[in-house]
Amino acid sequence: MDDLELRTEADAILAELVGDPGGAARLREDQWQAVAALVRERRRALVVQRTGWGKSAVYFVATALLRRRGAGPTVIVSPLLALMRNQVESAARAGIAARTINSANPEEWDTIYDEVERGETDVLLVSPERLNSVDFRENVLPRLAATTGLLVVDEAHCISDWGHDFRPDYRRLRALLAELAPGVPVLATTATANARVTADVAEQLGTGGGEALVLRGPLERESLRLGVVELPDAAHRLAWLAEHLGELSGSGIIYTLTVAAAEETTAFLRQCGFPVSSYTGRTENADRLQAESDLLENRVKALVATSALGMGFDKPDLGFVVHLGSPSSPIAYYQQVGRAGRGVAHADVLLLPGKEDEAIWRYFADSAFPPEAQVRQTLTALAEAGRALSVPALEAVVDLRRNRLETMLKVLDVEGAVRRVKGGWESTGQPWSYDTERYAWVARQRAAEQRAMREYVSTSGCRMEFLRRQLDDEGARPCGRCDSCAGVWIGSTVSTEALTGATKELDRPGVEVEPRRMWPTGMPSIGVDLKGRIPAGEQCATGRALGRLSDIGWGNRLRPLLAADAPDGPVPDDVLRAAVAVLADWARSPGGWAPNVPDATARPVGVVAVPSLTRPVLVDTLARGVADVGRLPFLGTLAYTDVDGAHAARRSNSAKRLKGLSAAFAVPDDLAAALTGAPGPILLVDDYTESGWTLAVAARLLRRAGGERVLPLVLAATG
């Protein structure tokens, strides 16, 4: 078949894909170049093109052409559940049978594998996490590698740790690339790769298959109008939304930096009469599906989302993207705003930066590769164990939090130092070197991205040109549309009424603090005789905090007060008043102080303080102030028995933290006597809770000393 016949067939498939069979749809020349490279030349190719360019059309058209020529199914590796759902529907229009394997449908996996075996599936979409599953790697991946007709790596920048969204699960693709049969084409796609990331991904694509073809296009988005609205604080930003959201055309996305901010913003906008839904990492899968459907069908004005919505939502007529707070990377920002204006002539993209943004960046900046000493400690523990160790068991040995420990293990797995097996992780015994230079460079890259994001806010030049230059787009030039090029088109003023409403919403204190109910795994192995469920008679109750440190309301007030370099001092009057208000609301809540506890005393009988190494005055004055206002006796403060252990427990993982805290406190004799003479619930006061183990250990001591129930009250909860 010559090029003309192949092109004609490809265009006919495209017409079916877009729902216009027999129509005039044609692949653009750059799309056709990618399809031809895959189908005719069976090459490996990296396509770096702007969001909305039509990357999915390339791999669906190529799939149909290859399947007609007897090739095996296409395997698409994508981290995007929302995009997977969109693409399954799109493929069906062209008669392409597509199925997906991800964390949301485990009950379907066996059926899908059988369909692939029988040749009934044309496209299999797989989440990268599956690549790191022992069962998938051992039983499914070899069969896929042997039968795959086309491998597609979506959001390919995730492969590279130079990129803004590195995901170690993606590194497993190198093994799959090396195992593919000769002549199997590979397509990698991304909209957000600068020159360094492009070169790195292209090099990895060449694994076992020769040099990769790189097809890079301009990243200009002519439909987007970029602007920045600088406002004094979070209340002004919410008030601005309430007054200007209705002016933005169509429906869109409001991005926030934290889950708490998304939930706060959603609640406030609903109070203002806007149909909006929240979309975060905490949103249940069924609710996510409903939210996506509501936005696609324009039943809501906006989804208020964290990066959980991310790259993978496909709505061509999305009319606007607003960010409440700056992402830490202009590349990530470009990717998120690229969701707008794909199928409409004009879309507004507005950034409302906050003074707290950098504090939030630091709060979530726990993703750097651990220091060499901690990595070596992990490798030694696995080598000495001589067997597989689970992550909870490793936590008892290695002072890393679970998410960071798991990420580190995945990197070590890819680099051959450890391997995941049933039951956990084991050492391979292979030599491994710590790439100090590379990890330091990545850290500097992250810092540079943050500086660039600050520059984006303050630049007087073209904003689109700025973003394109961050992505090394050689064709970057002034867009003529942004607020720098064409002038400000939307106001920054808010009415007194809107500001009052927003301030009232953000000033409302009070969030629940869930207690710990299980001791961490592996405590006996490190000399602490605690395991299993915490006995009901030793648990603390569900408590309260004024707010979360990630809130845009009380979080903004509490972060400076609780910062590591903040001076100690008496509790501020407004904070004490808020604590008292939280207690009053707590008492009025369903079940009051002790829901589901029959015949419980309705009111605390006294206040106890947790001793503090860093803020003794703050905690003491908070506890005594609450006692005075509530007319409750201040029963005393727990005593330290192991100051060094308690201090070392901060910022550790659960097992290490609990080990440091397990013997750090004692109940002084006078406090024990007071507890015996005041039967009833005890209010336990501390500055903040991060892991919940300080409260769990303190509550256990108090209950063993005679306290009936322990009700924690803290200024802040993390998360």
Side-chain angles (χ1 to χ4, degrees):
M1 178 179 287
D2 61 24
D3 279 359
L4 179 59
E5 291 175 319
L6 185 64
R7 176 67 185 267
T8 301
E9 186 179 356
D11 288 337
I13 294 169
L14 177 67
E16 293 175 350
L17 191 66
V18 299
D20 185 26
R26 284 179 57 83
L27 291 165
R28 295 191 306 272
E29 285 305 313
D30 46 8
Q31 290 175 312
W32 163 243
Q33 185 181 0
V35 169
L38 297 171
V39 177
R40 186 182 61 210
E41 302 172 31
R42 305 297 173 99
R43 291 200 63 175
R44 296 186 176 187
L46 169 61
V47 171
V48 183
Q49 296 281 3
R50 66 185 184 277
T51 304
W53 172 85
K55 294 182 282 291
S56 61
V58 169
Y59 51 73
F60 279 137
V61 170
T63 293
L65 291 170
L66 288 166
R67 291 289 277 169
R68 291 178 183 181
R69 286 154 180 78
T74 291
V75 175
I76 302 175
V77 181
S78 172
L80 314 171
L81 295 186
L83 187 60
M84 284 185 181
R85 289 188 280 269
N86 293 153
Q87 293 190 340
V88 168
E89 295 171 3
S90 297
R93 288 197 295 266
I96 299 171
R99 299 300 302 270
T100 176
I101 296 175
N102 57 68
S103 59
N105 68 341
E107 70 286 349
E108 299 177 14
W109 292 353
D110 288 341
T111 300
I112 294 171
Y113 294 152
D114 290 342
E115 291 175 358
V116 173
E117 289 280 346
R118 295 194 299 267
E120 298 171 2
T121 296
D122 300 310
V123 172
L124 180 65
L125 292 111
V126 181
S127 62
E129 291 74 22
R130 291 299 91 219
L131 300 176
N132 214 32
S133 159
V134 175
D135 181 67
F136 188 87
R137 280 163 49 180
E138 292 181 354
N139 300 317
V140 179
L141 203 55
R143 297 201 304 270
L144 285 181
T147 61
T148 294
L150 168 65
L151 175 64
V152 178
V153 183
D154 201 17
E155 307 302 341
H157 59 274
C158 297
I159 295 176
S160 174
D161 57 6
W162 308 112
H164 72 278
D165 195 23
F166 167 65
R167 304 188 185 194
D169 290 314
Y170 257 68
R171 279 303 204 37
R172 275 283 142 210
L173 286 165
R174 296 193 73 159
L176 179 57
L177 286 167
E179 294 169 6
L180 288 175
V184 173
V186 178
L187 172 66
T189 69
T190 182
T192 50
N194 58 20
R196 182 77 183 245
V197 174
T198 298
D200 188 26
V201 174
E203 179 184 355
Q204 294 188 50
L205 279 182
T207 302
E211 184 178 355
L213 172 68
V214 177
L215 301 172
R216 185 182 177 104
L219 301 178
E220 168 71 290
R221 291 294 307 280
E222 296 179 355
S223 63
L224 300 185
R225 178 168 60 167
L226 305 178
V228 173
V229 181
E230 296 193 68
L231 296 162
D233 52 36
H236 279 81
R237 294 198 296 279
L238 279 191
W240 184 93
L241 264 183
E243 296 210 317
H244 295 282
L245 184 57
E247 299 173 18
L248 302 177
S249 62
S251 54
I253 300 170
I254 301 168
Y255 279 108
T256 65
L257 298 186
T258 68
V259 172
E263 292 172 349
E264 286 175 311
T265 302
T266 300
F268 174 68
L269 291 176
R270 284 177 175 171
Q271 289 176 17
C272 296
F274 289 102
V276 296
S277 295
S278 179
Y279 192 111
T280 74
R282 292 181 192 163
T283 307
E284 294 291 337
N285 187 56
D287 294 330
R288 286 191 181 197
L289 288 171
Q290 185 62 54
E292 292 170 14
S293 175
D294 287 343
L295 185 58
L296 287 170
E297 300 300 326
N298 296 313
R299 291 189 291 265
V300 292
K301 180 64 177 177
L303 292 189
V304 185
T306 62
S307 57
L309 186 62
M311 304 165 279
F313 191 78
D314 185 14
K315 178 177 168 63
D317 62 341
L318 199 74
F320 61 88
V321 171
V322 175
H323 278 76
L324 290 184
S326 299
S328 60
S329 160
I331 301 173
Y333 181 65
Y334 174 87
Q335 187 174 54
Q336 290 179 344
V337 303
R339 305 258 58 87
R342 297 174 59 178
V344 292
H346 304 288
D348 288 329
V349 170
L350 294 162
L351 172 62
L352 280 60
K355 294 177 181 177
E356 72 278 8
D357 292 349
E358 293 188 44
I360 294 174
W361 297 347
R362 288 193 297 271
Y363 180 75
F364 287 113
D366 211 12
S367 59
F369 199 69
E372 183 172 5
Q374 289 179 311
V375 183
R376 295 292 178 194
Q377 188 180 21
T378 306
L379 294 173
T380 299
L382 289 171
E384 292 179 349
R387 58 182 176 84
L389 293 179
S390 67
V391 171
L394 279 170
E395 277 188 301
V397 181
V398 183
D399 192 7
L400 285 172
R401 295 184 185 188
R402 181 162 300 187
N403 287 344
R404 199 172 180 201
L405 177 58
E406 288 179 334
T407 298
M408 181 190 75
L409 287 167
K410 289 176 181 178
V411 173
L412 292 175
D413 187 4
V414 171
E415 295 179 354
V418 304
R419 58 174 162 257
R420 173 172 269 171
V421 296
K422 290 183 178 178
W425 299 84
E426 65 180 17
S427 171
T428 64
Q430 297 297 314
W432 178 84
S433 60
Y434 189 89
D435 195 342
T436 303
E437 183 178 348
R438 185 178 185 89
Y439 301 139
W441 195 97
V442 171
R444 292 195 298 271
Q445 179 79 355
R446 299 291 181 265
E449 289 175 349
Q450 292 180 6
R451 287 195 301 272
M453 201 64 219
R454 292 192 292 270
E455 292 169 8
Y456 174 81
V457 170
S458 61
T459 185
S460 59
C462 173
R463 299 195 191 276
M464 178 60 77
E465 181 182 20
F466 183 96
L467 293 178
R468 292 176 67 186
R469 289 192 184 282
Q470 288 296 311
L471 283 151
D472 297 324
D473 187 356
E474 296 180 356
R477 61 186 185 279
C479 70
R481 301 178 304 277
C482 69
D483 57 356
S484 294
C485 290
V488 175
W489 74 89
I490 195 163
S492 60
T493 58
V494 297
S495 68
T496 301
E497 180 182 4
L499 183 58
T500 299
T503 302
K504 182 179 179 181
E505 175 67 22
L506 294 178
D507 281 351
R508 184 180 296 114
V511 295
E512 287 192 350
V513 176
E514 286 295 320
R516 288 286 189 174
R517 294 187 172 87
M518 298 287 293
W519 299 119
T521 301
M523 296 308 299
S525 69
I526 55 174
V528 180
D529 189 22
L530 296 171
K531 60 183 178 180
R533 174 171 285 276
I534 302 173
E538 297 181 2
Q539 290 184 18
C540 66
T542 299
R544 294 293 189 276
L546 268 66
R548 300 183 183 91
L549 288 179
S550 55
D551 289 347
I552 56 174
W554 271 99
N556 285 351
R557 175 69 179 92
L558 295 169
R559 277 192 298 273
L561 182 66
L562 301 177
D565 58 352
D568 187 26
V571 61
D573 290 342
D574 64 322
V575 175
L576 178 59
R577 287 194 299 271
V580 172
V582 168
L583 290 172
D585 286 343
W586 193 354
R588 292 191 294 266
S589 64
W593 299 107
N596 305 319
V597 180
D599 303 322
T601 303
R603 175 178 168 81
V605 297
V607 180
V608 175
V610 176
S612 174
L613 294 170
T614 54
R615 302 181 188 87
V617 176
L618 176 66
V619 175
D620 183 71
T621 55
L622 172 63
R624 292 179 185 275
V626 166
D628 287 344
V629 175
R631 298 180 182 178
L632 299 170
F634 177 70
L635 302 179
T637 303
L638 290 169
Y640 275 123
T641 61
D642 181 6
V643 171
D644 291 337
H647 185 69
R650 289 188 176 275
R651 302 296 294 176
S652 303
N653 64 35
S654 284
K656 289 288 188 178
R657 186 175 298 224
L658 181 57
K659 181 180 180 181
L661 289 167
S662 59
F665 304 124
V667 180
D669 291 343
D670 56 345
L671 176 54
L675 291 170
T676 303
I682 303 301
L683 200 62
L684 179 65
V685 175
D686 202 358
D687 50 359
Y688 78 103
T689 180
E690 186 169 21
S691 69
W693 291 119
T694 297
L695 298 177
V697 169
R700 180 172 183 258
L701 286 172
L702 292 172
R703 298 200 69 175
R704 286 186 157 193
E708 286 189 11
R709 290 189 314 284
V710 177
L711 308 168
L713 174 69
V714 297
L715 296 181
T718 61

